[in-house]
mmCIF file of all heavy atoms in Angstrom:
data_model
loop_
_atom_site.group_PDB
_atom_site.id
_atom_site.type_symbol
_atom_site.label_atom_id
_atom_site.label_comp_id
_atom_site.label_asym_id
_atom_site.label_seq_id
_atom_site.Cartn_x
_atom_site.Cartn_y
_atom_site.Cartn_z
ATOM 1 N N VAL A 909 49.010 8.877 7.919
ATOM 2 C CA VAL A 909 49.436 9.441 9.203
ATOM 3 C C VAL A 909 50.468 10.546 8.994
ATOM 4 O O VAL A 909 50.470 11.562 9.705
ATOM 5 C CB VAL A 909 49.976 8.336 10.128
ATOM 6 C CG1 VAL A 909 50.587 8.929 11.397
ATOM 7 C CG2 VAL A 909 48.858 7.368 10.503
ATOM 8 N N LYS A 910 51.339 10.390 8.013
ATOM 9 C CA LYS A 910 52.331 11.431 7.716
ATOM 10 C C LYS A 910 51.628 12.730 7.308
ATOM 11 O O LYS A 910 52.072 13.828 7.659
ATOM 12 C CB LYS A 910 53.255 10.969 6.593
ATOM 13 C CG LYS A 910 54.126 9.779 6.956
ATOM 14 C CD LYS A 910 54.994 9.352 5.776
ATOM 15 C CE LYS A 910 55.845 8.137 6.132
ATOM 16 N NZ LYS A 910 56.651 7.674 4.962
ATOM 17 N N ILE A 911 50.550 12.585 6.558
ATOM 18 C CA ILE A 911 49.795 13.771 6.126
ATOM 19 C C ILE A 911 49.128 14.433 7.327
ATOM 20 O O ILE A 911 49.126 15.666 7.450
ATOM 21 C CB ILE A 911 48.756 13.379 5.060
ATOM 22 C CG1 ILE A 911 49.467 12.906 3.789
ATOM 23 C CG2 ILE A 911 47.814 14.539 4.763
ATOM 24 C CD1 ILE A 911 48.536 12.351 2.724
ATOM 25 N N PHE A 912 48.565 13.628 8.238
ATOM 26 C CA PHE A 912 47.948 14.202 9.441
ATOM 27 C C PHE A 912 48.978 15.002 10.243
ATOM 28 O O PHE A 912 48.675 16.080 10.752
ATOM 29 C CB PHE A 912 47.356 13.101 10.327
ATOM 30 C CG PHE A 912 46.308 12.252 9.662
ATOM 31 C CD1 PHE A 912 46.067 10.956 10.093
ATOM 32 C CD2 PHE A 912 45.554 12.735 8.600
ATOM 33 C CE1 PHE A 912 45.097 10.163 9.502
ATOM 34 C CE2 PHE A 912 44.577 11.949 7.993
ATOM 35 C CZ PHE A 912 44.355 10.655 8.456
ATOM 36 N N ASN A 913 50.186 14.444 10.379
ATOM 37 C CA ASN A 913 51.258 15.159 11.069
ATOM 38 C C ASN A 913 51.545 16.497 10.405
ATOM 39 O O ASN A 913 51.634 17.542 11.060
ATOM 40 C CB ASN A 913 52.542 14.315 11.076
ATOM 41 C CG ASN A 913 52.575 13.254 12.158
ATOM 42 O OD1 ASN A 913 52.790 13.534 13.330
ATOM 43 N ND2 ASN A 913 52.361 12.015 11.759
ATOM 44 N N HIS A 914 51.674 16.462 9.080
ATOM 45 C CA HIS A 914 52.062 17.661 8.331
ATOM 46 C C HIS A 914 50.985 18.744 8.412
ATOM 47 O O HIS A 914 51.293 19.923 8.650
ATOM 48 C CB HIS A 914 52.327 17.293 6.874
ATOM 49 C CG HIS A 914 52.781 18.447 6.031
ATOM 50 N ND1 HIS A 914 53.963 19.122 6.253
ATOM 51 C CD2 HIS A 914 52.200 19.062 4.967
ATOM 52 C CE1 HIS A 914 54.095 20.097 5.365
ATOM 53 N NE2 HIS A 914 53.027 20.082 4.572
ATOM 54 N N SER A 915 49.730 18.362 8.231
ATOM 55 C CA SER A 915 48.648 19.349 8.298
ATOM 56 C C SER A 915 48.520 19.929 9.702
ATOM 57 O O SER A 915 48.227 21.122 9.870
ATOM 58 C CB SER A 915 47.323 18.708 7.866
ATOM 59 O OG SER A 915 47.363 18.341 6.499
ATOM 60 N N SER A 916 48.749 19.102 10.727
ATOM 61 C CA SER A 916 48.746 19.601 12.103
ATOM 62 C C SER A 916 49.875 20.593 12.326
ATOM 63 O O SER A 916 49.692 21.624 12.997
ATOM 64 C CB SER A 916 48.875 18.440 13.093
ATOM 65 O OG SER A 916 47.789 17.546 12.978
ATOM 66 N N ASP A 917 51.039 20.304 11.769
ATOM 67 C CA ASP A 917 52.188 21.212 11.910
ATOM 68 C C ASP A 917 51.863 22.592 11.339
ATOM 69 O O ASP A 917 52.210 23.620 11.930
ATOM 70 C CB ASP A 917 53.408 20.637 11.193
ATOM 71 C CG ASP A 917 53.976 19.400 11.878
ATOM 72 O OD1 ASP A 917 53.611 19.157 13.041
ATOM 73 O OD2 ASP A 917 54.764 18.675 11.236
ATOM 74 N N ILE A 918 51.192 22.620 10.185
ATOM 75 C CA ILE A 918 50.840 23.903 9.563
ATOM 76 C C ILE A 918 49.881 24.679 10.464
ATOM 77 O O ILE A 918 50.061 25.885 10.696
ATOM 78 C CB ILE A 918 50.210 23.665 8.175
ATOM 79 C CG1 ILE A 918 51.236 23.044 7.212
ATOM 80 C CG2 ILE A 918 49.669 24.974 7.607
ATOM 81 C CD1 ILE A 918 50.641 22.608 5.887
ATOM 82 N N MET A 919 48.865 23.999 10.996
ATOM 83 C CA MET A 919 47.903 24.665 11.872
ATOM 84 C C MET A 919 48.583 25.177 13.135
ATOM 85 O O MET A 919 48.345 26.313 13.567
ATOM 86 C CB MET A 919 46.767 23.709 12.237
ATOM 87 C CG MET A 919 45.710 24.324 13.143
ATOM 88 S SD MET A 919 44.333 23.198 13.502
ATOM 89 C CE MET A 919 45.144 22.019 14.598
ATOM 90 N N HIS A 920 49.452 24.378 13.714
ATOM 91 C CA HIS A 920 50.112 24.782 14.956
ATOM 92 C C HIS A 920 51.087 25.927 14.737
ATOM 93 O O HIS A 920 51.239 26.793 15.624
ATOM 94 C CB HIS A 920 50.814 23.577 15.576
ATOM 95 C CG HIS A 920 49.862 22.532 16.081
ATOM 96 N ND1 HIS A 920 50.202 21.200 16.206
ATOM 97 C CD2 HIS A 920 48.552 22.618 16.468
ATOM 98 C CE1 HIS A 920 49.168 20.520 16.665
ATOM 99 N NE2 HIS A 920 48.155 21.354 16.824
ATOM 100 N N SER A 921 51.744 25.955 13.587
ATOM 101 C CA SER A 921 52.620 27.096 13.274
ATOM 102 C C SER A 921 51.803 28.387 13.202
ATOM 103 O O SER A 921 52.235 29.444 13.688
ATOM 104 C CB SER A 921 53.340 26.861 11.944
ATOM 105 O OG SER A 921 54.224 25.774 12.036
ATOM 106 N N LYS A 922 50.623 28.293 12.609
ATOM 107 C CA LYS A 922 49.737 29.460 12.533
ATOM 108 C C LYS A 922 49.293 29.869 13.928
ATOM 109 O O LYS A 922 49.246 31.066 14.261
ATOM 110 C CB LYS A 922 48.533 29.132 11.642
ATOM 111 C CG LYS A 922 47.592 30.304 11.423
ATOM 112 C CD LYS A 922 46.601 30.045 10.292
ATOM 113 C CE LYS A 922 45.699 28.874 10.559
ATOM 114 N NZ LYS A 922 44.608 28.752 9.560
ATOM 115 N N TRP A 923 48.972 28.903 14.787
ATOM 116 C CA TRP A 923 48.574 29.219 16.155
ATOM 117 C C TRP A 923 49.697 29.906 16.931
ATOM 118 O O TRP A 923 49.449 30.857 17.674
ATOM 119 C CB TRP A 923 48.153 27.941 16.883
ATOM 120 C CG TRP A 923 46.795 27.436 16.464
ATOM 121 C CD1 TRP A 923 45.992 27.949 15.489
ATOM 122 C CD2 TRP A 923 46.101 26.312 17.014
ATOM 123 N NE1 TRP A 923 44.840 27.212 15.387
ATOM 124 C CE2 TRP A 923 44.863 26.201 16.312
ATOM 125 C CE3 TRP A 923 46.391 25.385 18.005
ATOM 126 C CZ2 TRP A 923 43.938 25.201 16.593
ATOM 127 C CZ3 TRP A 923 45.469 24.390 18.290
ATOM 128 C CH2 TRP A 923 44.255 24.298 17.592
ATOM 129 N N ARG A 924 50.920 29.418 16.771
ATOM 130 C CA ARG A 924 52.042 30.052 17.480
ATOM 131 C C ARG A 924 52.187 31.503 17.055
ATOM 132 O O ARG A 924 52.452 32.390 17.883
ATOM 133 C CB ARG A 924 53.342 29.282 17.201
ATOM 134 C CG ARG A 924 53.424 27.916 17.859
ATOM 135 C CD ARG A 924 54.840 27.361 17.779
ATOM 136 N NE ARG A 924 54.894 25.974 18.221
ATOM 137 C CZ ARG A 924 54.835 24.927 17.418
ATOM 138 N NH1 ARG A 924 54.707 25.125 16.091
ATOM 139 N NH2 ARG A 924 54.896 23.699 17.892
ATOM 140 N N ARG A 925 52.021 31.746 15.767
ATOM 141 C CA ARG A 925 52.135 33.121 15.262
ATOM 142 C C ARG A 925 51.035 34.000 15.840
ATOM 143 O O ARG A 925 51.278 35.137 16.256
ATOM 144 C CB ARG A 925 52.059 33.103 13.734
ATOM 145 C CG ARG A 925 52.296 34.470 13.099
ATOM 146 C CD ARG A 925 52.308 34.395 11.584
ATOM 147 N NE ARG A 925 51.004 34.124 11.012
ATOM 148 C CZ ARG A 925 50.672 33.005 10.383
ATOM 149 N NH1 ARG A 925 51.561 32.040 10.228
ATOM 150 N NH2 ARG A 925 49.451 32.829 9.895
#
Side-chain angles (χ1 to χ4, degrees):
V909 173
K910 295 179 181 177
I911 294 174
F912 301 154
N913 279 284
H914 182 63
S915 294
S916 299
D917 291 345
I918 295 172
M919 180 177 71
H920 292 155
S921 294
K922 184 167 62 171
W923 285 4
R924 289 192 189 95
R925 185 176 70 248

